[in-house]
Amino acid sequence: MTWSRRLATALAVVWSGAMAPPLHAADIVVGQVAPLTGVLASTGAQMVLGGKVYFDWVNAQGGIHGATVRQVVADDAYKVADTVRLTREMLAKPEVVALYGFAGTANITQLLADGVLEQGGAALVAPYTGGESLRSPFNPWIFHVRAGYVDETEHMVQQLTTLGMNRVAVMYQDDGFGKAGLAGVEAALAKRNLKLVVSAGYERNTDKVDDAVKAIKAADVHAVIMIAVNKPAAAFIQRYREQGGGAQLYNISVVDPTELVKLAGLKNAHGLGISQVVPYPYRPQLPVVREYQTLLKKYAPEAEVNYTSFEQFLGAKVLVEALRRAGPVPTRAKVMKALESLQSYDLGGITLGYSPTNRIGSRYVEVTVIGSNGRLMK
């Protein structure tokens, strides 16, 4: 069992509702619904870990205005109905002052459609999604730390067309997440008077990609942009390469390269381009990267540096600063106001900003590549 799998299993046990640690009067409770089982389990484990190491450090320094931050986590297995149910349960508890680090465009879109966040009156900080439907039209409840899929796909299309690759295919998850990325690619191509050669979907929560492999291989394209999560992305990479597919492969940011190499094999995954929405966490050039690496080593010595845990570490820093600004007795409304006041906030070499009319903290995007040793290169 991998370290991240062991962590996910442990978290699912420790933080399941019935076994959650008892609350104390001085606790500041932050609710997180994350996929600790299912197709996104390794990602979910990293999401929870990124917040945990920062919250642990804050608590070791005396907490926030003397209160301990309590990260209460529930496992939705990346299932929309479970996300909605578990979020309702969390928001029914008045001690939960904010939500943090959820996953899934379709999952969070349903929270908005059902009015769960509005009825609860709580901010959701740093969701692990770039879905445009969560950004436009404006909604006040979600504070994004990452750039959107439109930003990511524009960056990828710009890169590949600059290199002369104008025959492009998309392999996408057939849900709100995948369709958001597909629309982003189509819009980026249209800006350049180009059209998508072929698009092929796969069913959410599966790795049934054989039809997509067949359709895309037959189209003889220069590049394939995948809007996919770990297991189906790895299945596509492996089967496409093993059947002789030679196009340049890209994937949107929500995959773990270590998991892709493990599942697809290094021979197949080598050369895959992955867009990223936070700076490179493997070299401690920025103060916040040095901080992240130090705290990861201190509070999770078995864990490795990872884009997902770093992104959620940044989200935790944003949330903690808002909790500080919300004062000694934070409420959901006070936390919302405090988040809006972070108009140009330096996390340590990375600046994010919100306002009463803006919830998109950053539009940072770059592309990394899986190198011959299986590690990401800039």
Side-chain angles (χ1 to χ4, degrees), residues 127-188:
Y128 194 68
T129 167
E132 195 62 20
S133 62
L134 305 176
R135 297 151 186 269
S136 179
F138 174 85
N139 79 78
W141 308 109
I142 303 176
F143 290 80
H144 300 277
V145 168
R146 57 159 49 223
Y149 297 143
V150 167
D151 302 307
E152 291 187 61
T153 51
E154 164 63 28
H155 195 92
M156 285 189 281
V157 168
Q158 179 185 22
Q159 183 178 91
L160 62 89
T161 53
T162 299
L163 295 171
M165 294 184 280
N166 54 21
R167 288 183 57 78
V168 180
V170 169
M171 193 280 283
Y172 68 99
Q173 184 163 291
D174 192 8
D175 68 351
F177 155 60
K179 289 173 182 174
L182 173 62
V185 175
E186 289 174 330

Coordinates of all heavy atoms in Angstrom, one line a residue, residues 127-188:
P127 N -11.2 25.5 -3.5 CA -11.6 24.2 -4.0 C -10.7 23.8 -5.1 O -10.1 24.6 -5.8 CB -13.0 24.6 -4.6 CG -12.9 26.0 -4.9 CD -12.0 26.6 -3.9
Y128 N -10.5 22.4 -5.3 CA -9.6 21.8 -6.2 C -10.3 21.7 -7.6 O -10.6 20.5 -8.0 CB -9.1 20.5 -5.6 CG -7.9 19.9 -6.3 CD1 -6.7 20.5 -6.3 CD2 -8.0 18.7 -7.1 CE1 -5.6 20.0 -6.9 CE2 -6.9 18.2 -7.7 CZ -5.7 18.8 -7.6 OH -4.6 18.2 -8.2
T129 N -10.6 22.8 -8.2 CA -11.3 22.8 -9.5 C -11.1 24.1 -10.2 O -11.0 25.1 -9.5 CB -12.8 22.5 -9.3 OG1 -13.5 22.8 -10.6 CG2 -13.4 23.4 -8.3
G130 N -11.1 24.0 -11.5 CA -11.0 25.3 -12.3 C -12.2 25.5 -13.1 O -12.1 26.3 -14.1
G131 N -13.3 24.8 -12.8 CA -14.5 24.9 -13.6 C -15.0 26.4 -13.8 O -15.2 27.1 -12.8
E132 N -15.3 26.7 -15.0 CA -15.7 28.1 -15.3 C -17.1 28.4 -14.7 O -17.4 29.5 -14.3 CB -15.8 28.3 -16.8 CG -15.9 29.8 -17.2 CD -14.7 30.7 -16.8 OE1 -13.6 30.1 -16.5 OE2 -14.8 31.9 -16.7
S133 N -17.9 27.3 -14.6 CA -19.3 27.5 -14.0 C -19.3 27.9 -12.6 O -20.3 28.4 -12.0 CB -20.1 26.2 -14.2 OG -19.5 25.2 -13.4
L134 N -18.1 27.7 -11.9 CA -18.0 28.1 -10.5 C -17.4 29.6 -10.4 O -17.3 30.1 -9.3 CB -17.0 27.2 -9.8 CG -17.5 25.7 -9.9 CD1 -16.4 24.8 -9.2 CD2 -18.8 25.5 -9.3
R135 N -17.1 30.2 -11.5 CA -16.4 31.5 -11.5 C -17.3 32.5 -12.2 O -17.3 33.7 -11.9 CB -15.1 31.4 -12.3 CG -14.1 30.5 -11.5 CD -13.1 29.8 -12.5 NE -12.3 28.8 -11.7 CZ -11.2 29.1 -11.1 NH1 -10.7 30.3 -11.3 NH2 -10.6 28.2 -10.4
S136 N -18.0 32.0 -13.2 CA -18.9 32.9 -14.0 C -20.2 32.2 -14.3 O -20.2 31.1 -14.8 CB -18.2 33.3 -15.4 OG -19.0 34.1 -16.1
P137 N -21.3 32.8 -14.0 CA -21.5 34.2 -13.4 C -20.9 34.2 -11.9 O -20.8 33.1 -11.3 CB -23.0 34.4 -13.4 CG -23.6 33.0 -13.4 CD -22.7 32.2 -14.2
F138 N -20.6 35.4 -11.5 CA -20.1 35.6 -10.2 C -21.0 35.0 -9.1 O -22.2 35.2 -9.1 CB -19.9 37.1 -9.9 CG -19.5 37.5 -8.5 CD1 -18.1 37.5 -8.2 CD2 -20.4 37.8 -7.6 CE1 -17.7 37.8 -6.9 CE2 -20.0 38.2 -6.3 CZ -18.7 38.2 -5.9
N139 N -20.4 34.3 -8.2 CA -21.1 33.9 -7.0 C -20.2 34.2 -5.8 O -19.0 34.1 -5.9 CB -21.5 32.4 -7.0 CG -20.4 31.5 -6.6 OD1 -20.0 31.3 -5.4 ND2 -19.7 30.9 -7.6
P140 N -20.8 34.7 -4.7 CA -20.0 35.2 -3.6 C -19.3 34.1 -2.7 O -18.4 34.5 -1.9 CB -21.0 36.0 -2.8 CG -22.3 35.4 -3.0 CD -22.2 34.9 -4.4
W141 N -19.7 32.9 -2.8 CA -19.4 31.9 -1.7 C -18.0 31.2 -1.9 O -17.5 30.7 -1.0 CB -20.5 30.8 -1.7 CG -21.8 31.5 -1.6 CD1 -22.8 31.5 -2.5 CD2 -22.3 32.2 -0.4 NE1 -23.9 32.3 -2.1 CE2 -23.6 32.7 -0.8 CE3 -21.8 32.5 0.8 CZ2 -24.4 33.4 0.1 CZ3 -22.6 33.2 1.7 CH2 -23.9 33.7 1.3
I142 N -17.5 31.2 -3.2 CA -16.3 30.4 -3.5 C -15.1 31.3 -3.7 O -15.1 32.2 -4.6 CB -16.5 29.5 -4.7 CG1 -17.7 28.6 -4.4 CG2 -15.3 28.7 -4.9 CD1 -18.1 27.7 -5.6
F143 N -14.0 31.1 -2.9 CA -12.8 31.9 -3.0 C -11.7 31.0 -3.6 O -11.2 30.1 -3.0 CB -12.4 32.4 -1.7 CG -13.3 33.5 -1.1 CD1 -14.5 33.2 -0.5 CD2 -12.9 34.8 -1.2 CE1 -15.3 34.2 0.0 CE2 -13.8 35.8 -0.8 CZ -15.0 35.5 -0.2
H144 N -11.4 31.2 -4.9 CA -10.5 30.4 -5.7 C -9.1 30.8 -5.4 O -8.7 32.0 -5.5 CB -10.8 30.5 -7.2 CG -12.2 30.1 -7.6 ND1 -12.5 28.7 -7.8 CD2 -13.3 30.8 -7.7 CE1 -13.8 28.7 -8.1 NE2 -14.3 29.9 -8.1
V145 N -8.2 29.8 -5.2 CA -6.8 30.0 -5.1 C -6.1 29.8 -6.5 O -5.1 30.4 -6.8 CB -6.2 29.2 -4.0 CG1 -4.7 29.1 -4.1 CG2 -6.6 29.7 -2.6
R146 N -6.7 28.9 -7.3 CA -6.1 28.5 -8.5 C -6.7 29.2 -9.7 O -7.9 29.6 -9.7 CB -6.2 27.0 -8.7 CG -7.7 26.5 -8.7 CD -7.9 25.1 -9.3 NE -7.0 24.1 -9.0 CZ -6.5 23.2 -9.8 NH1 -6.8 23.3 -11.1 NH2 -5.7 22.3 -9.4
A147 N -6.0 29.2 -10.8 CA -6.5 29.7 -12.1 C -7.6 28.7 -12.6 O -7.7 27.6 -12.1 CB -5.4 29.8 -13.1
G148 N -8.4 29.1 -13.5 CA -9.5 28.3 -14.1 C -9.0 27.4 -15.2 O -7.9 27.6 -15.8
Y149 N -9.8 26.5 -15.6 CA -9.5 25.6 -16.7 C -9.4 26.4 -18.0 O -8.7 26.0 -18.9 CB -10.6 24.5 -16.8 CG -10.6 23.5 -15.7 CD1 -11.8 23.0 -15.2 CD2 -9.4 23.2 -15.0 CE1 -11.9 22.2 -14.1 CE2 -9.5 22.3 -13.9 CZ -10.7 21.8 -13.5 OH -10.7 21.0 -12.4
V150 N -10.2 27.5 -18.1 CA -10.1 28.3 -19.3 C -8.7 28.9 -19.4 O -8.1 28.9 -20.5 CB -11.1 29.5 -19.3 CG1 -10.8 30.5 -20.3 CG2 -12.5 28.9 -19.5
D151 N -8.1 29.3 -18.3 CA -6.7 29.8 -18.3 C -5.7 28.7 -18.6 O -4.8 28.9 -19.4 CB -6.4 30.4 -16.9 CG -7.3 31.5 -16.5 OD1 -7.5 32.4 -17.2 OD2 -7.9 31.4 -15.3
E152 N -5.9 27.5 -18.1 CA -5.0 26.4 -18.3 C -5.1 26.0 -19.8 O -4.0 25.7 -20.4 CB -5.4 25.2 -17.5 CG -5.1 25.4 -16.0 CD -5.3 24.1 -15.2 OE1 -4.6 23.1 -15.5 OE2 -6.2 24.1 -14.3
T153 N -6.3 25.8 -20.3 CA -6.4 25.3 -21.7 C -5.8 26.4 -22.7 O -5.2 26.0 -23.7 CB -7.8 24.9 -22.1 OG1 -8.7 26.0 -21.7 CG2 -8.2 23.7 -21.3
E154 N -6.1 27.6 -22.4 CA -5.5 28.7 -23.3 C -4.0 28.6 -23.3 O -3.4 28.7 -24.4 CB -6.0 30.1 -22.7 CG -5.2 31.3 -23.3 CD -5.3 31.5 -24.8 OE1 -6.3 31.1 -25.4 OE2 -4.3 32.0 -25.4
H155 N -3.4 28.4 -22.1 CA -1.9 28.3 -22.1 C -1.4 27.1 -22.8 O -0.4 27.2 -23.6 CB -1.5 28.2 -20.6 CG -0.1 28.4 -20.3 ND1 0.4 29.7 -20.0 CD2 1.0 27.6 -20.4 CE1 1.7 29.6 -19.9 NE2 2.1 28.3 -20.0
M156 N -2.1 25.9 -22.7 CA -1.7 24.7 -23.4 C -1.8 24.9 -24.9 O -0.9 24.6 -25.7 CB -2.4 23.5 -22.9 CG -2.0 23.0 -21.6 SD -2.7 21.4 -21.1 CE -4.4 22.0 -20.6
V157 N -2.9 25.5 -25.4 CA -3.2 25.7 -26.8 C -2.2 26.7 -27.4 O -1.6 26.5 -28.5 CB -4.6 26.1 -27.1 CG1 -4.8 26.6 -28.5 CG2 -5.6 24.9 -26.8
Q158 N -1.9 27.7 -26.6 CA -0.9 28.7 -27.1 C 0.5 28.0 -27.3 O 1.1 28.2 -28.3 CB -0.7 29.8 -26.0 CG 0.3 30.8 -26.5 CD 0.5 31.9 -25.4 OE1 0.2 31.7 -24.2 NE2 1.0 33.0 -25.8
Q159 N 0.9 27.1 -26.3 CA 2.1 26.5 -26.4 C 2.2 25.5 -27.6 O 3.1 25.6 -28.4 CB 2.4 25.7 -25.1 CG 3.8 25.0 -25.1 CD 4.1 24.3 -23.8 OE1 3.8 23.1 -23.7 NE2 4.7 25.0 -22.9
L160 N 1.2 24.7 -27.8 CA 1.3 23.7 -28.8 C 1.1 24.3 -30.2 O 1.8 23.9 -31.2 CB 0.3 22.5 -28.6 CG -1.2 22.8 -28.6 CD1 -1.8 22.7 -29.9 CD2 -1.9 21.8 -27.6
T161 N 0.3 25.3 -30.4 CA 0.2 26.0 -31.7 C 1.4 26.8 -32.0 O 1.8 26.8 -33.2 CB -1.1 26.9 -31.8 OG1 -1.1 27.8 -30.7 CG2 -2.4 26.1 -31.7
T162 N 2.1 27.3 -31.0 CA 3.4 28.0 -31.3 C 4.4 27.0 -31.8 O 5.2 27.4 -32.7 CB 3.9 28.6 -30.0 OG1 2.9 29.6 -29.5 CG2 5.2 29.3 -30.2
L163 N 4.3 25.8 -31.4 CA 5.2 24.7 -31.9 C 4.7 24.1 -33.2 O 5.3 23.1 -33.7 CB 5.3 23.6 -30.8 CG 6.0 24.1 -29.5 CD1 5.8 23.0 -28.4 CD2 7.4 24.4 -29.7
G164 N 3.6 24.6 -33.8 CA 3.1 24.1 -35.1 C 2.2 23.0 -35.0 O 1.8 22.4 -36.0
M165 N 1.7 22.6 -33.8 CA 0.8 21.5 -33.6 C -0.6 22.1 -33.6 O -1.1 22.6 -32.6 CB 1.1 20.8 -32.3 CG 2.4 20.1 -32.3 SD 2.7 19.1 -30.8 CE 3.2 20.3 -29.7
N166 N -1.3 22.0 -34.8 CA -2.6 22.6 -34.9 C -3.7 21.6 -35.1 O -4.9 21.9 -35.2 CB -2.7 23.7 -36.0 CG -2.2 23.1 -37.3 OD1 -2.2 21.9 -37.6 ND2 -1.7 24.0 -38.2
R167 N -3.4 20.3 -35.2 CA -4.4 19.2 -35.2 C -4.5 18.7 -33.8 O -3.7 17.9 -33.3 CB -4.0 18.1 -36.2 CG -4.2 18.5 -37.7 CD -3.9 17.4 -38.6 NE -4.7 16.2 -38.4 CZ -6.0 16.1 -38.8 NH1 -6.6 17.1 -39.5 NH2 -6.6 15.0 -38.5
V168 N -5.6 19.1 -33.1 CA -5.7 18.9 -31.7 C -7.0 18.0 -31.4 O -8.1 18.3 -31.9 CB -5.8 20.2 -30.9 CG1 -6.0 20.0 -29.4 CG2 -4.6 21.1 -31.2
A169 N -6.8 17.1 -30.5 CA -7.9 16.3 -30.0 C -8.1 16.5 -28.5 O -7.1 16.9 -27.8 CB -7.7 14.8 -30.2
V170 N -9.3 16.2 -27.9 CA -9.5 16.3 -26.5 C -10.1 15.0 -26.0 O -11.1 14.4 -26.6 CB -10.5 17.5 -26.1 CG1 -10.9 17.3 -24.7 CG2 -9.8 18.8 -26.4
M171 N -9.5 14.4 -25.0 CA -10.1 13.3 -24.3 C -10.6 13.8 -22.9 O -9.8 14.4 -22.2 CB -9.0 12.2 -24.0 CG -9.6 10.8 -23.6 SD -10.0 10.7 -21.8 CE -8.4 10.5 -21.1
Y172 N -11.9 13.7 -22.6 CA -12.4 14.4 -21.5 C -13.4 13.5 -20.7 O -14.0 12.6 -21.2 CB -13.2 15.6 -21.9 CG -14.5 15.4 -22.7 CD1 -15.7 15.4 -22.1 CD2 -14.4 15.0 -24.1 CE1 -16.9 15.2 -22.8 CE2 -15.6 14.8 -24.8 CZ -16.8 14.9 -24.2 OH -17.9 14.6 -24.9
Q173 N -13.5 13.8 -19.4 CA -14.4 13.2 -18.5 C -15.8 13.7 -18.8 O -16.0 15.0 -18.9 CB -14.1 13.5 -17.0 CG -14.9 12.8 -16.0 CD -14.3 12.8 -14.7 OE1 -13.3 12.1 -14.5 NE2 -14.8 13.5 -13.7
D174 N -16.8 12.9 -19.0 CA -18.1 13.3 -19.5 C -19.0 13.8 -18.3 O -19.9 13.1 -17.9 CB -18.8 12.1 -20.2 CG -20.0 12.6 -21.0 OD1 -20.3 13.8 -21.0 OD2 -20.8 11.7 -21.5
D175 N -18.6 15.0 -17.8 CA -19.3 15.6 -16.7 C -19.0 17.1 -16.7 O -18.4 17.6 -17.7 CB -19.0 15.0 -15.4 CG -17.6 15.2 -14.9 OD1 -16.8 15.8 -15.7 OD2 -17.3 14.9 -13.7
G176 N -19.4 17.8 -15.7 CA -19.1 19.3 -15.7 C -17.7 19.6 -15.8 O -17.3 20.6 -16.4
F177 N -16.8 18.8 -15.1 CA -15.4 19.1 -15.1 C -14.8 18.9 -16.6 O -14.2 19.8 -17.1 CB -14.7 18.1 -14.2 CG -13.3 17.7 -14.5 CD1 -12.3 18.7 -14.5 CD2 -12.9 16.4 -14.7 CE1 -11.0 18.4 -14.8 CE2 -11.6 16.1 -15.0 CZ -10.6 17.1 -15.0
G178 N -15.1 17.8 -17.2 CA -14.6 17.5 -18.5 C -15.1 18.5 -19.5 O -14.3 18.9 -20.4
K179 N -16.4 18.8 -19.5 CA -17.0 19.7 -20.4 C -16.5 21.1 -20.3 O -16.3 21.9 -21.3 CB -18.5 19.6 -20.3 CG -19.1 18.3 -20.8 CD -20.6 18.2 -20.6 CE -21.1 16.8 -21.1 NZ -22.5 16.6 -20.7
A180 N -16.1 21.5 -19.1 CA -15.5 22.8 -18.8 C -14.2 22.9 -19.5 O -13.9 23.9 -20.2 CB -15.4 23.1 -17.3
G181 N -13.4 21.9 -19.4 CA -12.1 21.9 -20.1 C -12.2 21.8 -21.6 O -11.5 22.5 -22.3
L182 N -13.1 21.0 -22.0 CA -13.4 20.9 -23.5 C -13.8 22.2 -24.1 O -13.2 22.6 -25.1 CB -14.5 19.8 -23.7 CG -15.0 19.7 -25.2 CD1 -13.9 19.2 -26.1 CD2 -16.2 18.7 -25.2
A183 N -14.7 22.9 -23.4 CA -15.1 24.2 -23.9 C -13.9 25.2 -23.9 O -13.8 26.0 -24.8 CB -16.2 24.8 -23.0
G184 N -13.0 25.1 -22.9 CA -11.8 25.9 -22.9 C -10.9 25.7 -24.1 O -10.4 26.7 -24.7
V185 N -10.7 24.4 -24.4 CA -9.9 24.1 -25.6 C -10.5 24.7 -26.8 O -9.8 25.3 -27.7 CB -9.6 22.6 -25.7 CG1 -8.8 22.3 -27.0 CG2 -8.9 22.1 -24.5
E186 N -11.8 24.4 -27.0 CA -12.5 24.9 -28.2 C -12.4 26.4 -28.3 O -12.2 26.9 -29.4 CB -14.0 24.4 -28.2 CG -14.1 22.9 -28.4 CD -15.6 22.5 -28.2 OE1 -16.3 23.1 -27.4 OE2 -15.9 21.4 -28.8
A187 N -12.6 27.1 -27.2 CA -12.5 28.6 -27.3 C -11.1 29.1 -27.6 O -10.9 30.0 -28.4 CB -12.9 29.2 -25.9
A188 N -10.1 28.4 -27.1 CA -8.7 28.8 -27.3 C -8.3 28.5 -28.8 O -7.6 29.3 -29.4 CB -7.7 28.0 -26.4

